[in-house]
């Protein structure tokens, strides 16, 4: 069955540095990949979507890459700020399959 | 626009009791979903709907029922609650994937349910 792996351990990073989160998947050929942000006690919020034919997508301080050969997506936050502290979920979808979510990686940006 | 709203925010039930969670969206979305989120397991799809009057099973449908009588509302019912149903429940909605080719979802704030 399809499987999505995100680093379940929290990522601690100093303010101003670039945070890089990883999403790996197996037994799946997604047509697109999404990243969501989730704050404690709240629902996930959509951030970025990248399609299988795109290598990289940017939005302000966010950058997502998608390597279908490695079956991996990297999510970067440049010039990280304490307000970026949250859990980040990756989600894969394609065709008429329902989107499948990873368990998320908790990011803590230390002032 | 309120987006996606969920009622109630918190609820405590005893084993065997029943309840209904209400989800409402004002974005005219065709698709609606119910998820549960448990520590270490991520979001798991319970049921979903691709339009008014339709429902379909997701990954973990047992013990739950749903109804979509109106396009803007999606109800999740627990007929006989069990402690294993203690979780945070999220409703989400999206445009039709037939239109956009993707399934970007908009989530509600969640309902924290405890079954004793």
């Amino acid at each position: 069955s399809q499987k999505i792996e995100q680093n379940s351990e929290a990522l601690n990073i100093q303010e101003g540095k670039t945070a890089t989160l990883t999403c790996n998947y197996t037994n799946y050929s997604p047509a697109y990949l999404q990243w969501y942000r989730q704050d404690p006690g709240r629902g996930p919020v959509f951030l970025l979507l990248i399609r299988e034919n795109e290598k990289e997508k940017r939005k302000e301080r966010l950058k997502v890459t998608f390597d279908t050969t490695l079956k991996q997506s990297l999510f970067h936050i440049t010039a990280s700020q304490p307000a970026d502290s949250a859990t980040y979920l990756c989600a894969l979808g394609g065709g008429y399959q329902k989107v499948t979510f990873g368990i998320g990686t908790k990011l803590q940006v230390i002032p | 626009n309120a987006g996606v709203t969920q009622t109630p925010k918190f609820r405590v039930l005893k084993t065997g009791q029943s309840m209904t969670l209400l989800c409402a969206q004002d974005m005219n979305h065709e698709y609606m979903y119910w998820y549960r989120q448990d520590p270490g397991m991520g979001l798991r799809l319970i049921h979903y709907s691709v339009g008014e009057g339709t429902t379909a099973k997701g990954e973990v449908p047992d013990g739950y029922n749903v109804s979509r009588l109106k396009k803007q509302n999606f109800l999740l019912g627990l007929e006989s609650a069990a402690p294993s149903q203690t979780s945070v429940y999220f409703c989400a909605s999206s445009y039709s994937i037939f239109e956009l080719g993707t399934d970007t979802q908009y989530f509600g704030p969640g309902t924290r349910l405890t079954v004793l």
Side-chain angles (χ1 to χ4, degrees), chain A residues 31-32 34 36 38 41-46 49 51 89 95-99 101-103, chain B residues 31 33 35 37 40-43 45 48 90 97-98 100-105 107-109:
Chain A
Y32 58 86
Q34 305 173 356
Y36 289 77
Q38 186 172 22
R42 300 196 170 218
V45 175
F46 170 75
L49 178 146
R51 297 182 186 273
L89 313 177
Y96 302 115
Q97 292 186 38
K98 291 297 103 192
V99 167
F101 287 83
I103 65 171
Chain B
Y31 286 30
Y33 314 81
Y35 292 91
Q37 188 173 41
M41 302 202 67
L43 287 161
L45 183 64
Y48 64 98
F90 288 102
I97 63 170
F98 295 100
L100 293 181
T102 69
D103 198 11
T104 299
Q105 298 183 20
F107 285 82

Side-chain angles (χ1 to χ4, degrees), chain B residues 84-98:
Chain B
S84 61
Q85 294 178 305
T86 293
S87 187
V88 180
Y89 291 85
F90 288 102
C91 175
S93 68
S94 68
Y95 292 104
S96 166
I97 63 170
F98 295 100

Side-chain angles (χ1 to χ4, degrees), chain A:
Chain A
S1 61
Q2 61 201 41
K3 189 176 178 182
I4 302 172
E5 291 182 353
Q6 291 188 260
N7 191 348
S8 59
E9 293 180 10
L11 176 65
N12 294 323
I13 192 163
Q14 208 69 34
E15 182 178 4
K17 301 291 186 184
T18 296
T20 299
L21 285 66
T22 304
C23 176
N24 296 303
Y25 59 92
T26 56
N27 299 327
Y28 202 167
S29 295
Y32 58 86
L33 188 147
Q34 305 173 356
W35 284 89
Y36 289 77
R37 168 182 173 142
Q38 186 172 22
D39 292 288
R42 300 196 170 218
V45 175
F46 170 75
L47 296 175
L48 276 172
L49 178 146
I50 186 166
R51 297 182 186 273
E52 62 178 336
N53 60 348
E54 298 173 315
K55 293 252 187 266
E56 183 179 299
K57 205 80 167 281
R58 290 175 186 260
K59 179 182 177 183
E60 297 173 351
R61 294 184 296 111
L62 309 180
K63 185 178 85 171
V64 173
T65 63
F66 193 8
D67 189 325
T68 55
T69 301
L70 291 179
K71 293 187 182 294
Q72 180 181 79
S73 174
L74 298 178
F75 177 78
H76 306 273
I77 305 175
T78 58
S80 58
Q81 305 166 1
D84 295 325
S85 298
T87 296
Y88 292 86
L89 313 177
C90 76
L92 279 66
Y96 302 115
Q97 292 186 38
K98 291 297 103 192
V99 167
T100 302
F101 287 83
I103 65 171
T105 297
K106 185 175 181 180
L107 172 67
Q108 187 76 31
V109 180
I110 303 165

Side-chain angles (χ1 to χ4, degrees), chain B residues 15-93:
Chain B
T15 297
Q17 288 185 319
S18 63
M19 78 163 293
T20 300
L21 281 67
L22 170 64
C23 175
Q25 54 95 3
D26 61 2
M27 296 174 282
N28 201 34
H29 285 168
E30 287 292 337
Y31 286 30
M32 295 188 75
Y33 314 81
W34 276 107
Y35 292 91
R36 60 178 289 174
Q37 188 173 41
D38 302 290
M41 302 202 67
L43 287 161
R44 290 185 291 169
L45 183 64
I46 304 171
H47 286 280
Y48 64 98
S49 168
V50 300
E52 181 179 322
T54 75
T55 62
K57 293 180 180 179
E59 181 185 354
V60 289
D62 294 342
Y64 305 94
N65 57 76
V66 288
S67 65
R68 182 109 180 258
L69 299 179
K70 293 183 178 180
K71 186 176 183 179
Q72 64 267 35
N73 295 337
F74 196 27
L75 304 180
L76 178 70
L78 286 73
E79 291 184 348
S80 179
S84 61
Q85 294 178 305
T86 293
S87 187
V88 180
Y89 291 85
F90 288 102
C91 175
S93 68

